[in-house]
Amino acid sequence: MPFIKALSSEILDQRNNSMNYELRTHYSQAPGFSLIEVVVSIFLVSALSIILVGSTNSLHTRKRTDLTAIANKAALKEIERVRNLEYSSITTALSLPCDTEFNNQLPGCRIDRQVTNNFNNDLNLKQVLITLYFNYRGGPKFVVLETLITQKGL
């Protein structure tokens, strides 16, 4: 009997080992990624790229808005300078340099001043149109401001 018991226990051990081997080989991980992992990775990468593109666009919009505000300030300063000129010396001028305060902030800054007096001569009224040009992202941008000046002041 001990022989049968030993033989049966050996057969059981072999059977358990072969079942464990089958279980291990059947359920072992294959190399590579599962479909779920790939889909989640693609989703995360696309979400991050959308956020990046959105923030980049808002930075460009902010930069353009800041440059336009600086250009408006420079054009207003030019209008104030023209108002301080003697009335007879207010004439049309093209490609005037920007104030030194704005040259570093506005690339390619230049100012055109057009003066018209198509009004009733009794009023001695001049219309002054200030156009400030600057470069942004390789293209020209401009700001236009207009004012009226009389011989006796504003």
Side-chain angles (χ1 to χ4, degrees):
M1 274 298 195
F3 175 72
I4 294 179
K5 195 173 192 182
L7 186 60
S8 66
S9 114
E10 191 176 309
I11 291 173
L12 283 175
D13 285 342
Q14 285 178 353
R15 194 181 283 168
N16 284 339
N17 285 340
S18 68
M19 285 176 63
N20 285 339
Y21 178 74
E22 286 177 14
L23 287 176
R24 275 185 266 132
T25 57
H26 186 265
Y27 291 109
S28 67
Q29 286 281 348
F33 299 104
S34 70
L35 180 62
I36 299 287
E37 291 170 331
V38 171
V39 169
V40 168
S41 299
I42 291 173
F43 174 76
L44 289 175
V45 167
S46 62
L48 290 175
S49 64
I50 288 171
I51 292 170
L52 180 66
V53 167
S55 65
T56 304
N57 285 339
S58 67
L59 287 175
H60 288 301
T61 302
R62 168 84 189 264
K63 177 73 173 172
R64 186 178 63 240
T65 303
D66 289 348
L67 285 176
T68 303
I70 293 169
N72 277 324
K73 186 177 178 183
L76 281 172
K77 192 165 187 174
E78 178 64 19
I79 284 178
E80 290 302 318
R81 194 184 69 70
V82 169
R83 285 182 180 162
N84 291 328
L85 292 175
E86 188 175 322
Y87 183 78
S88 60
S89 66
I90 299 174
T91 59
T92 298
L94 300 177
S95 295
L96 296 171
C98 286
D99 192 77
T100 56
E101 173 185 351
F102 303 106
N103 276 338
N104 294 333
Q105 298 171 341
L106 293 170
C109 182
R110 69 178 176 84
I111 297 172
D112 288 350
R113 178 178 66 216
Q114 294 178 326
V115 179
T116 57
N117 43 356
N118 296 334
F119 303 103
N120 188 350
N121 288 336
D122 294 339
L123 295 177
N124 291 325
L125 186 66
K126 289 186 179 183
Q127 178 185 17
V128 180
L129 186 70
I130 302 291
T131 307
L132 186 138
Y133 298 94
F134 64 97
N135 296 326
Y136 176 67
R137 296 185 77 184
K141 303 290 181 202
F142 62 92
V143 171
V144 179
L145 295 179
E146 180 180 3
T147 189
L148 295 174
I149 300 176
T150 64
Q151 189 167 8
K152 296 178 182 177
L154 294 174

